[in-house]
Amino acid sequence: MKIEKEDGIVVFGPIYSNYETDLSVEIWIDGLQSSSSYPYQLIVNDKVISPSTDQVINTVPELGTNEEVKIAFGSCPHRWGLGNHNLSSF
């Protein structure tokens, strides 16, 4: 995963999956500022995954602030998951 930060691009990984992990991975990310947005790219087998929309990580506000927080969870970015814009309400 590549994340675009103020001071340049940071790469997290590589991370590998297989059938034993259901072709799923967890990517641990650190060093991001609170209340910020970071564009990112997913890279699989040295190829950038190009979604139809921009991919952005929005970080939560600092503890103790009154900023509104919205949390979304999704899996399987295909016809049943986040990739199906007919199912998403945001």
Side-chain angles (χ1 to χ4, degrees), residues 9-27:
I9 293 176
V10 179
V11 176
F12 294 89
I15 297 174
Y16 301 96
S17 68
N18 55 40
Y19 288 107
E20 291 175 3
T21 64
D22 291 327
L23 301 176
S24 300
V25 298
E26 291 181 6
I27 301 173

Side-chain angles (χ1 to χ4, degrees), residues 53-73:
T53 59
D54 292 336
Q55 295 176 315
V56 177
I57 293 174
N58 295 307
T59 58
V60 297
E62 284 190 46
L63 193 60
T65 63
N66 286 330
E67 291 182 54
E68 183 179 77
V69 175
K70 293 181 181 181
I71 297 175
F73 171 81

Side-chain angles (χ1 to χ4, degrees), residues 5 8-9 12 18-21 26 30-31 35 39 41 45 49-50 54-55 61 71-72 74-75 80 82-83 90:
K5 293 176 61 177
I9 293 176
F12 294 89
N18 55 40
Y19 288 107
E20 291 175 3
T21 64
E26 291 181 6
D30 59 4
S35 301
Q41 294 179 322
N45 295 332
I49 303 299
S50 299
D54 292 336
Q55 295 176 315
I71 297 175
S75 66
W80 301 114
L82 293 176
F90 49 93

